[in-house]
Amino acid sequence: MRKPWFVGVVLAAVLLGACGDPASGPEAGPPPEVPRGSATTQQRAPASPSSAAPAPPASGQAPTVLYLGDSLAMEAQEVLGRELRRAVRARYTSAPYSGTTLCDYLEGTGERSLVPVADKAAALVRRLRPDFVVLQFWGNAWGYTPCMDGITHDAAPAEYFERYAADMRRLADQIAAAGDTRIVWVLQGPDPITPDRVRRVNALYAEQAASSGALVADAGKALSAAGARYSWVQYLPCTAYEREHGAYCTQPGRERTALHRDDDPLHFCLAPTTSKPKPCPVRSPGIQRIALEVSRVIRANR
């Protein structure tokens, strides 16, 4: 009875591996001084860490935004940057690394991390002084990255959630200590393999946001059917935006659009997965939905 589930796990692991080459980050080779896709940032004096939520940018002022995450962020980074520039004239930097999870962006993980020292979350916050740090992580569940110490959801779910929550708090604390910025936790869409895992990971993000004055962008809701938040679907009815921008309504005759390819139930890029991670090169409704929700939250809180 477990065979279909096991096959699904193997398929998903292969897909994450294909999108998660540890040698590839924002660009191949040694990490640049400023990550690829960076824009001019406004420099501000460092602020002392505080448990209170940072003050938002002055009304009308263009915010600076830093986007970090795994392969979902890797594929969405250019689309999110475009939407943020359009919506709030944001000065935007992205530094996602495929195959990563929260612990990879923690300072102090050294060689056990897939993210180089210069691109740790706190290091980037100190250097770029962003108003918002957007964090999007599906939640590495198979121990793909060394910093998880082999803890997997399948083998030890209780330990996995305990470790994930601890890493989440550590990352938030390091970001807060590095500068006066506000975290935006991106909630994930349905997991086709272990639906309850993503439900619980999203709950951890929401709890952390509520306790620290951070923000939540429920992009996953836009990737779910109405009334079935954690039931995976490949297609959804076209939204008004997608009907107005025809390329995003992939099956207009059936009034529905594709979120996933037939051969990839996890990612939202409608182009084939490649061995070298890169931003999605084609218009993809799932990615656009994520970008619109994140930009909406930042626009409402700038």
Side-chain angles (χ1 to χ4, degrees):
M1 295 296 292
R2 288 174 61 85
K3 184 175 180 182
W5 178 88
F6 176 77
V7 171
V9 170
V10 171
L11 171 61
V14 168
L15 290 170
L16 280 185
C19 283
D21 178 1
S24 300
E27 63 183 9
E33 181 60 24
V34 176
R36 175 181 175 183
S38 64
T40 302
T41 58
Q42 177 185 13
Q43 298 298 320
R44 298 180 300 174
S48 299
S50 170
S51 58
S59 179
Q61 178 179 327
T64 59
V65 181
L66 173 63
Y67 184 38
L68 307 177
D70 55 19
S71 58
L72 297 181
M74 172 64 74
E75 65 182 10
Q77 59 183 312
E78 290 187 352
V79 177
L80 179 58
R82 183 191 68 214
E83 287 303 320
L84 286 171
R85 293 183 186 103
R86 181 187 63 79
V88 295
R89 307 190 315 278
R91 283 163 285 187
Y92 172 80
T93 302
S94 59
Y97 283 82
S98 294
T100 57
T101 194
L102 298 175
C103 60
D104 286 291
Y105 280 91
L106 286 170
E107 292 190 314
T109 49
E111 295 180 356
R112 296 171 52 254
S113 168
L114 302 182
V115 175
V117 172
D119 286 350
K120 299 296 189 183
L124 290 174
V125 169
R126 284 191 294 268
R127 189 160 77 235
L128 301 174
R129 299 298 175 193
D131 297 302
F132 299 94
V133 178
V134 180
L135 300 176
Q136 181 168 12
F137 292 90
W138 175 84
N140 188 301
W142 303 309
Y144 182 75
T145 174
C147 67
M148 282 295 288
D149 298 319
I151 299 171
T152 65
H153 176 265
D154 181 33
E159 187 177 7
Y160 165 81
F161 288 117
E162 182 178 354
R163 171 61 184 277
Y164 202 82
D167 287 342
M168 180 183 60
R169 290 190 294 269
R170 286 183 61 199
L171 185 61
D173 287 346
Q174 287 189 2
I175 290 173
D180 185 18
T181 189
R182 200 168 190 188
I183 293 175
V184 180
W185 295 98
V186 181
L187 304 192
Q188 300 308 301
D191 182 343
I193 301 166
T194 52
D196 190 57
R197 185 196 64 80
V198 161
R199 184 197 305 270
R200 293 186 62 180
V201 166
N202 282 349
L204 291 176
Y205 292 153
E207 291 169 9
Q208 175 65 28
S211 67
S212 63
L215 300 169
V216 167
D218 192 359
K221 184 177 181 180
L223 306 170
S224 311
R229 175 62 176 80
Y230 289 99
S231 297
W232 183 90
V233 290
Q234 184 175 2
Y235 299 92
L236 281 178
C238 296
T239 64
Y241 177 93
E242 288 159 356
R243 288 192 294 271
E244 292 172 6
H245 301 76
Y248 290 104
C249 188
T250 61
Q251 296 183 0
R254 303 177 68 177
E255 275 293 310
R256 71 176 193 176
T257 197
L259 301 182
H260 306 276
R261 289 173 52 86
D262 293 341
D263 58 356
D264 187 344
L266 293 179
H267 298 95
F268 297 96
C269 183
L270 297 185
T273 299
T274 61
S275 59
K276 182 179 179 180
K278 61 182 180 180
C280 185
V282 301
R283 292 184 180 180
S284 300
I287 291 175
Q288 184 66 21
R289 290 183 180 210
I290 291 170
L292 287 173
E293 175 59 17
V294 173
S295 63
R296 183 195 69 79
V297 168
I298 290 179
R299 184 174 64 249
N301 289 277
R302 67 191 175 107

